[in-house]
Amino acid sequence: MASSPTPCMAFAHLFDAQQRPTSFAATIDDPPGSFRCEMHAVSSRSQGNPVSNHEILARVVIGPKGLKGDGPLGLADSVASEMYRAGLSTLRIPADGSAEDIAKLARYLVHQAAASISVGDEAFCAGVLEFTCETVRTFYVPPWTMQMVGAYESPEVEYPSHSDVLQAVNLFPSKNQSKNWARNFLFDQGVKFIPADKYERADIRGISSPGRYEPPV
């Protein structure tokens, strides 16, 4: 990775932002499908360590909102909407297989989610999605035969192993087609969903928080 500034650093204010626009994936996908910035710094916090194909990426799934219904279809819809909108946030699993950052992130996300969960319900860590970077970079469906998803090094202050997975949404004529493609990714590519009570890289069992939202009266 070059140490001098590249055109890709023009995206740094987006990758470093606390809140990203829903058009984030479409903005980075310019020109469509090029993924020219995967191997360059796109964040002011870059460590000069682009995501390699062999790396395992992990996505913490928070319920109930992250599931959006019952079974794999609800989970696929949740993943799809992130990939083609603001980006799918993941953590890179280190070579030694440890992933204590996942437990730390799960606790943070559960506490954050509880603010929008009604009193009487609860937010909880449902589990983790895992897949290799090569899986996302090599998945496509006809008639396209080009790379459709990029994975970017985008460290966060609290989570230096953070990365973003973004879909090349500008190739699709409609959002529905884009979402359907991302849903197929989860179904067809063997992405693993590991429930919290069966996850072995970190202890994420029983992480939950009571809902704090009370609607105005």
Side-chain angles (χ1 to χ4, degrees), residues 57 128-132 135-136 139 182-194:
L57 303 179
V128 175
L129 280 173
E130 283 193 359
F131 47 89
T132 66
T135 294
V136 298
F139 178 63
R183 181 189 293 169
N184 288 337
F185 163 73
L186 186 64
F187 284 137
D188 298 344
Q189 201 64 5
V191 175
K192 294 190 300 181
F193 174 68
I194 307 168

mmCIF file of all heavy atoms in Angstrom, residues 57 128-132 135-136 139 182-194:
data_model
loop_
_atom_site.group_PDB
_atom_site.id
_atom_site.type_symbol
_atom_site.label_atom_id
_atom_site.label_comp_id
_atom_site.label_asym_id
_atom_site.label_seq_id
_atom_site.Cartn_x
_atom_site.Cartn_y
_atom_site.Cartn_z
ATOM 1 N N LEU A 57 -13.866 -12.934 7.833
ATOM 2 C CA LEU A 57 -14.575 -11.743 8.285
ATOM 3 C C LEU A 57 -15.776 -12.172 9.124
ATOM 4 O O LEU A 57 -16.436 -13.166 8.803
ATOM 5 C CB LEU A 57 -15.033 -10.899 7.099
ATOM 6 C CG LEU A 57 -13.932 -10.451 6.128
ATOM 7 C CD1 LEU A 57 -14.523 -9.635 4.992
ATOM 8 C CD2 LEU A 57 -12.847 -9.658 6.859
ATOM 9 N N VAL A 128 -23.042 -14.887 15.136
ATOM 10 C CA VAL A 128 -22.046 -14.283 14.253
ATOM 11 C C VAL A 128 -22.120 -14.923 12.872
ATOM 12 O O VAL A 128 -22.246 -16.143 12.746
ATOM 13 C CB VAL A 128 -20.620 -14.472 14.830
ATOM 14 C CG1 VAL A 128 -19.567 -13.943 13.862
ATOM 15 C CG2 VAL A 128 -20.485 -13.784 16.183
ATOM 16 N N LEU A 129 -22.064 -14.084 11.850
ATOM 17 C CA LEU A 129 -21.882 -14.555 10.477
ATOM 18 C C LEU A 129 -20.389 -14.586 10.182
ATOM 19 O O LEU A 129 -19.688 -13.613 10.474
ATOM 20 C CB LEU A 129 -22.554 -13.605 9.481
ATOM 21 C CG LEU A 129 -24.050 -13.705 9.257
ATOM 22 C CD1 LEU A 129 -24.499 -12.557 8.371
ATOM 23 C CD2 LEU A 129 -24.429 -15.021 8.614
ATOM 24 N N GLU A 130 -19.907 -15.659 9.584
ATOM 25 C CA GLU A 130 -18.503 -15.731 9.204
ATOM 26 C C GLU A 130 -18.364 -16.137 7.742
ATOM 27 O O GLU A 130 -19.117 -16.987 7.250
ATOM 28 C CB GLU A 130 -17.743 -16.738 10.082
ATOM 29 C CG GLU A 130 -17.415 -16.230 11.456
ATOM 30 C CD GLU A 130 -16.398 -17.106 12.179
ATOM 31 O OE1 GLU A 130 -15.970 -18.138 11.591
ATOM 32 O OE2 GLU A 130 -16.011 -16.761 13.302
ATOM 33 N N PHE A 131 -17.408 -15.532 7.050
ATOM 34 C CA PHE A 131 -17.103 -15.897 5.672
ATOM 35 C C PHE A 131 -15.702 -15.413 5.349
ATOM 36 O O PHE A 131 -15.183 -14.495 5.991
ATOM 37 C CB PHE A 131 -18.116 -15.282 4.694
ATOM 38 C CG PHE A 131 -18.391 -13.825 4.919
ATOM 39 C CD1 PHE A 131 -17.629 -12.844 4.309
ATOM 40 C CD2 PHE A 131 -19.428 -13.429 5.761
ATOM 41 C CE1 PHE A 131 -17.882 -11.502 4.524
ATOM 42 C CE2 PHE A 131 -19.690 -12.080 5.980
ATOM 43 C CZ PHE A 131 -18.915 -11.114 5.357
ATOM 44 N N THR A 132 -15.070 -16.028 4.365
ATOM 45 C CA THR A 132 -13.747 -15.555 3.958
ATOM 46 C C THR A 132 -13.898 -14.376 3.018
ATOM 47 O O THR A 132 -14.923 -14.236 2.323
ATOM 48 C CB THR A 132 -12.947 -16.654 3.240
ATOM 49 O OG1 THR A 132 -13.587 -16.978 2.004
ATOM 50 C CG2 THR A 132 -12.808 -17.894 4.116
ATOM 51 N N THR A 135 -14.598 -15.332 -0.451
ATOM 52 C CA THR A 135 -15.998 -15.659 -0.723
ATOM 53 C C THR A 135 -16.744 -14.456 -1.279
ATOM 54 O O THR A 135 -17.482 -14.571 -2.260
ATOM 55 C CB THR A 135 -16.690 -16.146 0.565
ATOM 56 O OG1 THR A 135 -16.114 -17.388 0.971
ATOM 57 C CG2 THR A 135 -18.177 -16.351 0.347
ATOM 58 N N VAL A 136 -16.557 -13.288 -0.681
ATOM 59 C CA VAL A 136 -17.295 -12.121 -1.154
ATOM 60 C C VAL A 136 -16.718 -11.569 -2.451
ATOM 61 O O VAL A 136 -17.456 -11.050 -3.286
ATOM 62 C CB VAL A 136 -17.368 -11.004 -0.086
ATOM 63 C CG1 VAL A 136 -18.103 -11.481 1.139
ATOM 64 C CG2 VAL A 136 -16.011 -10.478 0.290
ATOM 65 N N PHE A 139 -17.903 -13.972 -5.597
ATOM 66 C CA PHE A 139 -19.297 -14.366 -5.813
ATOM 67 C C PHE A 139 -19.966 -13.475 -6.852
ATOM 68 O O PHE A 139 -19.900 -12.257 -6.782
ATOM 69 C CB PHE A 139 -20.082 -14.290 -4.501
ATOM 70 C CG PHE A 139 -21.538 -14.631 -4.664
ATOM 71 C CD1 PHE A 139 -21.923 -15.894 -5.071
ATOM 72 C CD2 PHE A 139 -22.512 -13.686 -4.418
ATOM 73 C CE1 PHE A 139 -23.262 -16.213 -5.230
ATOM 74 C CE2 PHE A 139 -23.860 -13.991 -4.568
ATOM 75 C CZ PHE A 139 -24.233 -15.259 -4.973
ATOM 76 N N ALA A 182 -27.845 -9.629 -3.146
ATOM 77 C CA ALA A 182 -27.177 -9.761 -1.855
ATOM 78 C C ALA A 182 -27.788 -10.893 -1.035
ATOM 79 O O ALA A 182 -27.086 -11.615 -0.327
ATOM 80 C CB ALA A 182 -27.255 -8.442 -1.087
ATOM 81 N N ARG A 183 -29.096 -11.067 -1.136
ATOM 82 C CA ARG A 183 -29.757 -12.170 -0.437
ATOM 83 C C ARG A 183 -29.251 -13.505 -0.973
ATOM 84 O O ARG A 183 -28.985 -14.446 -0.221
ATOM 85 C CB ARG A 183 -31.268 -12.055 -0.610
ATOM 86 C CG ARG A 183 -32.042 -13.151 0.112
ATOM 87 C CD ARG A 183 -33.509 -13.107 -0.268
ATOM 88 N NE ARG A 183 -34.169 -11.924 0.215
ATOM 89 C CZ ARG A 183 -35.390 -11.560 -0.159
ATOM 90 N NH1 ARG A 183 -36.046 -12.272 -1.071
ATOM 91 N NH2 ARG A 183 -35.945 -10.476 0.335
ATOM 92 N N ASN A 184 -29.093 -13.602 -2.296
ATOM 93 C CA ASN A 184 -28.569 -14.827 -2.893
ATOM 94 C C ASN A 184 -27.173 -15.148 -2.377
ATOM 95 O O ASN A 184 -26.796 -16.309 -2.244
ATOM 96 C CB ASN A 184 -28.515 -14.699 -4.421
ATOM 97 C CG ASN A 184 -29.891 -14.747 -5.051
ATOM 98 O OD1 ASN A 184 -30.823 -15.283 -4.458
ATOM 99 N ND2 ASN A 184 -30.023 -14.192 -6.238
ATOM 100 N N PHE A 185 -26.400 -14.091 -2.120
ATOM 101 C CA PHE A 185 -25.050 -14.286 -1.588
ATOM 102 C C PHE A 185 -25.090 -15.132 -0.322
ATOM 103 O O PHE A 185 -24.320 -16.083 -0.151
ATOM 104 C CB PHE A 185 -24.396 -12.934 -1.316
ATOM 105 C CG PHE A 185 -23.191 -13.004 -0.421
ATOM 106 C CD1 PHE A 185 -21.999 -13.520 -0.902
ATOM 107 C CD2 PHE A 185 -23.250 -12.580 0.892
ATOM 108 C CE1 PHE A 185 -20.885 -13.614 -0.078
ATOM 109 C CE2 PHE A 185 -22.144 -12.655 1.715
ATOM 110 C CZ PHE A 185 -20.965 -13.175 1.230
ATOM 111 N N LEU A 186 -25.994 -14.797 0.585
ATOM 112 C CA LEU A 186 -26.067 -15.513 1.852
ATOM 113 C C LEU A 186 -26.542 -16.949 1.640
ATOM 114 O O LEU A 186 -26.016 -17.887 2.235
ATOM 115 C CB LEU A 186 -26.996 -14.791 2.813
ATOM 116 C CG LEU A 186 -27.056 -15.365 4.233
ATOM 117 C CD1 LEU A 186 -25.699 -15.223 4.920
ATOM 118 C CD2 LEU A 186 -28.115 -14.676 5.062
ATOM 119 N N PHE A 187 -27.526 -17.145 0.756
ATOM 120 C CA PHE A 187 -28.085 -18.474 0.548
ATOM 121 C C PHE A 187 -27.154 -19.388 -0.249
ATOM 122 O O PHE A 187 -27.010 -20.564 0.047
ATOM 123 C CB PHE A 187 -29.424 -18.374 -0.183
ATOM 124 C CG PHE A 187 -30.554 -17.931 0.702
ATOM 125 C CD1 PHE A 187 -31.473 -17.001 0.260
ATOM 126 C CD2 PHE A 187 -30.694 -18.428 1.987
ATOM 127 C CE1 PHE A 187 -32.514 -16.587 1.070
ATOM 128 C CE2 PHE A 187 -31.725 -18.019 2.805
ATOM 129 C CZ PHE A 187 -32.645 -17.099 2.343
ATOM 130 N N ASP A 188 -26.533 -18.847 -1.306
ATOM 131 C CA ASP A 188 -25.820 -19.679 -2.270
ATOM 132 C C ASP A 188 -24.345 -19.885 -1.963
ATOM 133 O O ASP A 188 -23.724 -20.788 -2.511
ATOM 134 C CB ASP A 188 -25.930 -19.072 -3.677
ATOM 135 C CG ASP A 188 -27.367 -19.002 -4.165
ATOM 136 O OD1 ASP A 188 -28.222 -19.682 -3.572
ATOM 137 O OD2 ASP A 188 -27.627 -18.256 -5.128
ATOM 138 N N GLN A 189 -23.768 -19.051 -1.144
ATOM 139 C CA GLN A 189 -22.327 -19.068 -1.000
ATOM 140 C C GLN A 189 -21.853 -19.753 0.281
ATOM 141 O O GLN A 189 -20.667 -19.791 0.554
ATOM 142 C CB GLN A 189 -21.781 -17.627 -1.061
ATOM 143 C CG GLN A 189 -20.318 -17.510 -1.420
ATOM 144 C CD GLN A 189 -19.993 -18.006 -2.812
ATOM 145 O OE1 GLN A 189 -20.887 -18.360 -3.572
ATOM 146 N NE2 GLN A 189 -18.725 -18.044 -3.155
ATOM 147 N N GLY A 190 -22.759 -20.303 1.026
ATOM 148 C CA GLY A 190 -22.355 -21.049 2.207
ATOM 149 C C GLY A 190 -21.820 -20.195 3.338
ATOM 150 O O GLY A 190 -20.976 -20.649 4.114
ATOM 151 N N VAL A 191 -22.286 -18.960 3.436
ATOM 152 C CA VAL A 191 -21.905 -18.128 4.574
ATOM 153 C C VAL A 191 -22.436 -18.775 5.854
ATOM 154 O O VAL A 191 -23.594 -19.189 5.913
ATOM 155 C CB VAL A 191 -22.472 -16.705 4.416
ATOM 156 C CG1 VAL A 191 -22.177 -15.870 5.640
ATOM 157 C CG2 VAL A 191 -21.897 -16.054 3.175
ATOM 158 N N LYS A 192 -21.595 -18.879 6.855
ATOM 159 C CA LYS A 192 -21.976 -19.577 8.081
ATOM 160 C C LYS A 192 -22.573 -18.617 9.098
ATOM 161 O O LYS A 192 -21.976 -17.591 9.396
ATOM 162 C CB LYS A 192 -20.750 -20.262 8.710
ATOM 163 C CG LYS A 192 -20.160 -21.385 7.915
ATOM 164 C CD LYS A 192 -19.114 -22.140 8.741
ATOM 165 C CE LYS A 192 -17.986 -21.233 9.173
ATOM 166 N NZ LYS A 192 -16.943 -21.956 9.951
ATOM 167 N N PHE A 193 -23.749 -18.962 9.619
ATOM 168 C CA PHE A 193 -24.287 -18.266 10.779
ATOM 169 C C PHE A 193 -24.099 -19.174 11.984
ATOM 170 O O PHE A 193 -24.587 -20.300 12.011
ATOM 171 C CB PHE A 193 -25.762 -17.919 10.610
ATOM 172 C CG PHE A 193 -26.360 -17.328 11.865
ATOM 173 C CD1 PHE A 193 -25.967 -16.075 12.301
ATOM 174 C CD2 PHE A 193 -27.286 -18.030 12.620
ATOM 175 C CE1 PHE A 193 -26.483 -15.522 13.471
ATOM 176 C CE2 PHE A 193 -27.815 -17.487 13.786
ATOM 177 C CZ PHE A 193 -27.419 -16.224 14.206
ATOM 178 N N ILE A 194 -23.370 -18.673 12.991
ATOM 179 C CA ILE A 194 -23.080 -19.457 14.183
ATOM 180 C C ILE A 194 -23.834 -18.836 15.358
ATOM 181 O O ILE A 194 -23.544 -17.687 15.740
ATOM 182 C CB ILE A 194 -21.570 -19.472 14.474
ATOM 183 C CG1 ILE A 194 -20.799 -19.917 13.223
ATOM 184 C CG2 ILE A 194 -21.266 -20.401 15.648
ATOM 185 C CD1 ILE A 194 -19.313 -19.685 13.306
#
